[in-house]
Amino acid sequence: MKALFGRKVLDLDELKDLTLRAVKEGHKGQPYIIIREVFLANEYFMDFAGDFLKDQFWIRSEDGGVNMNGEVRCVRVNNMDTDEKVLVNSEGYDYPRYTALEID
């Protein structure tokens, strides 16, 4: 599995736009592994997705980084109502420092 991670992306709309442009340019993405999953109702997911630079109590500084196999360690954030997913690599912070779309 690979994903196209963006650093300090503002919100879900920007992430979608950046991902679409990266795919069109032929970028392949980075390998990743899911270390934890978070499930949010649509209201909370949209609040999270509206400001990726905001600290989240459920994101821990140890939730990110890269493992010894070169895979990005991620939290998968699921919208329980729409099945939309965002991958978060906190990279030592309490906010989604790096985000990516999980595309089935």
Side-chain angles (χ1 to χ4, degrees), residues 85-100:
K85 300 172 184 121
V86 173
L87 301 174
V88 170
N89 170 7
S90 66
E91 195 65 41
Y93 294 86
D94 295 330
Y95 74 96
R97 188 166 174 90
Y98 293 88
T99 52

Side-chain angles (χ1 to χ4, degrees), residues 1 5 14 23 32 40 44 46-47 51 54 63-65 68 71 75 77 82 95 97 99 103:
M1 297 187 303
F5 287 89
E14 182 181 19
V23 168
Y32 67 92
L40 301 175
Y44 297 107
M46 295 312 292
D47 181 57
D51 184 1
K54 182 169 63 172
D63 284 338
M68 295 189 65
E71 299 164 314
V75 174
V77 183
T82 67
Y95 74 96
R97 188 166 174 90
T99 52
I103 304 167

Side-chain angles (χ1 to χ4, degrees), residues 4 14-24 100-101 103:
L4 297 160
E14 182 181 19
L15 180 59
K16 288 178 179 179
D17 183 53
L18 290 171
T19 302
L20 182 61
R21 282 192 282 154
V23 168
K24 285 182 180 179
L101 295 178
I103 304 167

Side-chain angles (χ1 to χ4, degrees), residues 6 10 18 42 47 52 54-55:
L10 298 177
L18 290 171
N42 188 58
D47 181 57
F52 286 148
K54 182 169 63 172
D55 285 353

Side-chain angles (χ1 to χ4, degrees), residues 34-56:
I34 304 300
I35 60 164
R36 191 164 56 88
E37 288 198 73
V38 173
F39 295 87
L40 301 175
N42 188 58
E43 174 185 354
Y44 297 107
F45 183 89
M46 295 312 292
D47 181 57
F48 153 72
D51 184 1
F52 286 148
L53 301 180
K54 182 169 63 172
D55 285 353
Q56 301 292 336

